[in-house]
């Protein structure tokens, strides 16, 4: 693997995480428990779409085959996506969406804070923008975790079930492959080992504040780094890529 | 007896001051005295306006996950957020008249409050997103520009803000249509089909002809309404026909003609039977839109309860 190939894959992974999250968050449009929350979640979807655009455009440039952000978003198949599996999981109830946001936004906040110091200037500048959004997403997730965890018996039960249910997808966020190793040596990629410790501290603290118990499961599902996904991704792509696939000659 | 007379005089003065304000074109503010009919008329109109913004998120939301490019998706997401934001301002503005958002939503669910009829039509293809932005928002702007001068202060101020955003919406809708008309044969066909389906319902958005409009009398007297349905509809037709021609879309009206004498377009008859039928519940998406709103509201109840319970607990602690 060359540095160029590693960087391409790294950008795809980050871009795909944003793209798939943007899809799931958009599904909340007209479906949230309050109008304010409808706007908040679709606003996060908008942040994620912008993030995907920046990262996939850069991936295309790194690859050098003239592929645009849209080509990469709309013309790749299931096995060529490298997002973390947690991002493609269905929204479930509101507690599930908040639990997923809690896990991922905390991760992203820590990740992009580190990536701001990347030796790759382009990634560092994207990270500087993303970290502000992630901080906001994380605050929002924390606020709701507090309300749901300390709210009613029902909300506490749902929130506990949500953090437990998604736990098996959290391990994968800290997995690395050859691309990470190569880019770590060049000070381009983030040290995920370091992030993992901080992430665990923050989540443990937040779960406690929310009056919940840390999930106990030890099984961690993996596969995203190799492009092996849960069954949900195929459906996401089927819907998301529909127009581009059905009218390949059209420009939108 | 004396007291009663005094009271009556006071009432007369208060109403007198309302009428004087209307006469002088001063804005009526929430604490000002106002006739009950004025308050009721505004609650009906403003809540309907707010509900329309919110229900309108459904047909557009239907296409977010299928938007054909990242840019298109961003624009659509931003637009739908604006609509939701307009719903929020309008609910807040209506609340100044002494009704809560919960009460307004209950009235929507009971059928007492309405929303714009246009959202009872389905968004079937991507071109419909263009047509909604261009035609539906285009028609809404014409109406809202006129409402910027409405007599109730909070409503008028909400309209000023909303109009700024709506003109961006109309441009994005037109851009989608223009891109499709510049695209492949299949895209052009899709765009014309959307035009054919949305044109007439857009004209109906302005409401019945002036001769048939039941409530306009008071609305004009109170300066809630500044232009008639037919005046606004004409304004919309005149600007839109030209825009359609520029990108090669055909207006689906065989009777459409430029009237040199009146300097405006004459149009064919509007199908009012369809309009009344849809308003009375028999449109393609009436049941779907309402059922969805009710379902989401019911599903979110536990979240709202949890937020309220948490707020009360925190209040106790502090």
């Amino acid at each position: 693997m060359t540095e160029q190939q590693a960087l391409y894959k790294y950008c795809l992974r980050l871009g795909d995480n944003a793209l798939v999250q943007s899809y799931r968050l958009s599904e909340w449009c007209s479906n949230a428990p309050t109008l304010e929350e409808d706007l908040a979640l679709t606003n996060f979807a908008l942040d994620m779409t912008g993030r995907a655009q920046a990262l996939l455009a850069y991936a295309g440039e790194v690859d050098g085959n003239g592929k645009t952000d849209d080509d990469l978003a709309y013309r790749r198949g299931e096995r060529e996506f490298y997002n973390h599996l947690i991002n493609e999981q269905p929204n479930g109830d509101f507690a599930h969406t908040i639990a997923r946001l809690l896990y991922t936004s905390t991760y992203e906040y820590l990740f992009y804070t580190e990536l701001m110091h990347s030796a790759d200037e382009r990634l560092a500048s994207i990270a500087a923008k993303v970290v502000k959004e992630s901080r906001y997403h994380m605050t929002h997730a924390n606020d709701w975790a507090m309300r749901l965890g300390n709210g009613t018996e029902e909300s506490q039960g749902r929130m506990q079930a949500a953090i437990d249910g998604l736990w098996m997808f959290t391990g994968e966020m800290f997995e690395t492959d050859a691309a990470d190793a190569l880019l770590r040596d060049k000070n381009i990629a983030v040290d995920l080992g370091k992030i993992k410790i901080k992430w665990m501290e923050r989540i443990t603290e937040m779960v406690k504040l929310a009056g919940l118990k840390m999930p106990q499961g030890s099984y961690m599902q993996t596969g995203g780094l190799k492009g092996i996904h849960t069954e949900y991704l195929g459906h996401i792509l089927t819907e998301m890529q529909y127009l581009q696939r059905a009218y390949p000659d059209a420009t939108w | 007896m004396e007291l009663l007379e005094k009271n009556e005089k006071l009432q007369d003065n208060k109403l007198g001051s309302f009428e004087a304000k209307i006469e002088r074109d001063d804005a009526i503010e929430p604490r000002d005295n106002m006739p009950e009919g004025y308050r009721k008329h505004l609650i009906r109109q403003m809540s309907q306006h707010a509900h329309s913004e919110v229900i309108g998120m459904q047909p557009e939301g239907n296409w977010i996950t299928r938007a054909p490019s990242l840019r298109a998706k961003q624009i659509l997401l931003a637009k739908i957020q604006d609509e939701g934001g307009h719903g929020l301002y309008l609910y807040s503005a209506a609340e100044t008249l002494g009704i809560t958002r919960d009460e307004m939503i209950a009235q929507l669910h009971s059928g007492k409050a309405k929303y714009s009829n246009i959202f009872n039509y389905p968004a079937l293809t991507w071109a419909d997103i263009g047509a909604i932005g261009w035609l539906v928002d285009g028609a809404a702007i014409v109406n809202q520009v006129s409402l910027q001068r409405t007599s109730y202060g909070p409503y008028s101020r909400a309209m000023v803000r909303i109009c700024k955003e709506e003109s961006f919406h109309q441009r994005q809708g037109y851009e989608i249509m223009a891109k499709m008309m510049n695209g492949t044969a299949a895209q052009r066909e899709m765009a014309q089909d959307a035009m054919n389906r949305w044109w007439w319902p857009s004209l109906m958005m302005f409401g019945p002809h002036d001769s048939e409009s039941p409530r306009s009398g008071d609305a004009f007297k109170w300066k809630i309404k500044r232009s008639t349905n037919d005046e606004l509809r004409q304004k919309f037709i005149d600007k839109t026909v030209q825009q359609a021609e520029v990108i090669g879309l055909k207006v689906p009206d065989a009777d459409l003609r430029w009237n040199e004498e009146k300097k405006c377009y004459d149009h064919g008859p509007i199908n009012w039977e369809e309009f009344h039928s849809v308003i009375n519940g028999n449109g393609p998406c009436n049941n779907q839109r309402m059922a969805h709103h009710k379902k989401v509201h019911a599903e979110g109840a536990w979240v709202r309860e949890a937020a309220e319970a948490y707020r009360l607990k925190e209040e106790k602690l502090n």
Side-chain angles (χ1 to χ4, degrees):
Chain A
M1 182 182 273
T2 64
E3 182 182 328
Q4 184 196 19
Q5 288 165 332
L7 186 57
Y8 175 63
K9 196 174 171 198
Y10 199 70
C11 291
L12 284 183
R13 190 198 300 167
L14 303 185
D16 291 347
N17 277 328
L19 185 64
V20 172
Q21 277 194 76
S22 119
Y23 178 95
R24 285 296 186 213
L25 288 164
S26 333
E27 288 182 313
W28 277 103
C29 180
S30 283
N31 285 306
T34 64
L35 187 49
E36 286 82 349
E37 197 52 30
D38 213 293
L39 298 183
L41 293 175
T42 48
N43 192 39
F44 297 175
L46 188 57
D47 290 342
M48 292 294 176
T49 313
R51 189 183 300 183
Q53 208 173 21
L55 288 159
L56 294 180
Y58 187 39
E61 286 170 37
V62 168
D63 189 44
N65 282 329
K67 285 196 175 144
T68 64
D69 46 357
D70 282 340
D71 293 334
L72 290 170
Y74 295 96
R75 304 286 175 101
R76 271 182 301 148
E78 294 89 330
R79 294 282 282 105
E80 300 162 291
F81 269 74
Y82 300 108
N83 60 281
H84 297 137
L85 306 179
I86 192 168
N87 293 316
E88 68 203 38
Q89 298 311 301
N91 286 335
D93 65 4
F94 184 67
H96 266 84
T97 290
I98 292 301
R100 188 180 59 206
L101 192 65
L102 176 70
Y103 288 154
T104 58
S105 63
T106 305
Y107 174 85
E108 283 158 7
Y109 173 68
L110 296 168
F111 181 92
Y112 283 102
T113 301
E114 288 297 315
L115 195 67
M116 285 200 292
H117 308 294
S118 171
D120 184 295
E121 281 177 19
R122 181 80 166 266
L123 283 180
S125 87
I126 293 172
K129 180 168 182 285
V130 166
V131 83
K132 289 182 203 142
E133 296 165 359
S134 296
R135 186 188 296 123
Y136 187 74
H137 302 169
M138 184 172 70
T139 306
H140 192 79
N142 288 348
D143 287 349
W144 271 112
M146 289 295 285
R147 289 189 198 109
L148 299 182
N150 298 303
T152 61
E153 202 177 313
E154 179 179 8
S155 70
Q156 187 178 53
R158 284 176 184 258
M159 195 60 205
Q160 186 67 55
I163 61 168
D164 290 347
L166 287 166
W167 184 248
M168 65 185 269
F169 297 106
T170 57
E172 190 199 30
M173 299 194 291
F174 306 99
E175 260 178 37
T176 55
D177 64 7
D180 288 84
L182 196 150
L183 297 174
R184 275 292 304 142
D185 283 345
K186 313 257 179 194
N187 287 320
I188 292 173
V190 168
D191 178 356
L192 292 179
K194 201 161 122 189
I195 304 278
K196 187 176 183 175
I197 297 165
K198 289 189 188 169
W199 183 87
M200 196 61 88
E201 279 170 10
R202 280 181 178 252
I203 294 295
T204 307
E205 172 75 8
M206 200 52 231
V207 166
K208 197 175 146 198
L209 284 172
L212 302 167
K213 291 188 193 76
M214 274 303 276
Q216 294 303 312
S218 58
Y219 168 70
M220 288 292 167
Q221 190 165 339
T222 168
L225 259 56
K226 295 193 178 77
I228 295 175
H229 290 270
T230 56
E231 288 175 348
Y232 301 111
L233 184 71
H235 292 278
I236 292 178
L237 299 186
T238 300
E239 192 165 322
M240 185 175 79
Q241 299 178 336
Y242 148 66
L243 281 170
Q244 289 263 355
R245 301 277 197 188
Y247 302 94
D249 303 327
T251 48
W252 308 91
Chain B
M1 197 64 199
E2 223 172 84
L3 202 70
L4 238 152
E5 270 173 28
K6 256 191 182 169
N7 229 334
E8 271 175 20
K9 257 192 182 161
L10 204 67
Q11 284 295 333
D12 279 356
N13 280 345
K14 276 187 175 170
L15 223 55
S17 92
F18 169 81
E19 275 150 12
K21 275 192 168 171
I22 294 284
E23 183 63 33
R24 285 198 305 270
D25 272 339
D26 284 355
I28 304 298
E29 293 300 334
R31 285 160 188 270
D32 291 350
N33 193 52
M34 59 185 89
E36 197 45 33
Y38 179 80
R39 183 190 301 277
K40 275 193 178 148
H41 187 105
L42 278 169
I43 288 180
R44 188 180 55 78
Q45 182 169 338
M46 290 167 73
S47 70
Q48 171 168 344
H49 200 156
H51 296 323
S52 302
E53 297 282 359
V54 173
I55 298 295
M57 293 164 74
Q58 288 185 35
E60 296 191 293
N62 178 41
W63 276 94
I64 298 179
T65 54
R66 290 176 291 171
S69 73
L70 294 171
R71 180 174 177 271
K73 181 169 178 169
Q74 280 179 305
I75 293 173
L76 185 57
L77 273 166
K79 175 177 191 283
I80 298 175
Q81 265 180 62
D82 285 348
E83 315 285 11
H86 298 170
L88 281 179
Y89 309 152
L90 285 163
Y91 282 130
S92 306
E95 281 183 328
T96 63
L97 292 161
I99 185 168
T100 65
R101 202 203 301 185
D102 283 345
E103 286 169 329
M104 288 184 263
I105 291 175
Q107 290 182 352
L108 174 70
H109 289 177
S110 75
K112 189 182 172 207
K114 303 263 188 232
Y115 55 90
S116 177
N117 219 20
I118 194 82
F119 301 120
N120 288 322
Y121 291 87
L124 300 177
T125 72
W126 176 249
D128 288 33
I129 296 304
I132 291 174
W134 174 43
L135 298 175
V136 175
D137 289 3
I141 296 172
V142 172
N143 190 30
Q144 287 165 351
V145 163
S146 160
L147 282 171
Q148 289 182 108
R149 291 171 54 240
T150 193
S151 58
Y152 189 54
Y155 194 23
S156 147
R157 288 190 288 275
M159 283 303 118
V160 172
R161 271 185 86 168
I162 287 174
C163 280
K164 283 186 195 150
E165 291 175 352
E166 291 288 355
S167 62
F168 148 74
H169 298 172
Q170 200 203 1
R171 280 201 299 277
Q172 70 81 31
Y174 189 60
E175 186 197 282
I176 290 176
M177 293 306 251
K179 265 198 176 163
M180 293 187 78
M181 289 307 286
N182 266 324
T184 62
Q187 284 179 296
R188 283 196 293 278
E189 196 179 312
M190 218 185 267
Q192 184 62 55
D193 170 62
M195 174 79 181
N196 295 348
R197 284 181 290 110
W198 289 93
W199 174 255
W200 290 106
S202 300
L203 296 193
M204 293 176 198
M205 283 173 71
F206 296 96
H209 286 308
D210 298 346
S211 51
E212 310 281 324
S213 189
R215 285 198 192 84
S216 354
D218 281 344
F220 278 104
K221 188 178 82 190
W222 290 325
K223 296 186 180 170
I224 293 174
K225 223 174 148 147
R226 297 287 200 158
S227 316
T228 72
N229 294 353
D230 285 331
E231 283 165 5
L232 295 170
R233 183 166 22 241
Q234 190 65 51
K235 227 179 236 184
F236 171 72
I237 292 173
D238 292 343
K239 73 169 182 170
T240 310
V241 167
Q242 290 173 5
Q243 291 169 350
E245 279 170 3
V246 169
I247 55 174
L249 276 169
K250 203 174 161 322
V251 178
D253 178 356
D255 299 320
L256 191 80
R257 301 261 184 294
W258 176 252
N259 184 326
E260 187 55 36
E261 201 179 310
K262 290 197 280 180
K263 299 283 176 209
C264 66
Y265 284 95
D266 290 335
H267 62 84
I270 293 170
N271 183 350
W272 294 114
E273 207 175 301
E274 174 183 322
F275 174 77
H276 289 296
S277 162
V278 178
I279 276 202
N280 289 325
N282 299 316
C285 299
N286 300 51
N287 292 342
Q288 182 190 338
R289 301 285 183 246
M290 262 314 66
H292 183 78
H293 198 278
K294 285 180 188 167
K295 174 176 151 273
V296 168
H297 193 70
E299 278 172 3
W302 71 269
V303 178
R304 296 190 299 274
E305 281 158 20
E308 182 60 12
Y310 179 67
R311 190 183 67 80
L312 292 175
K313 278 183 202 167
E314 285 295 288
E315 243 176 38
K316 250 187 208 167
L317 284 175
N318 295 323

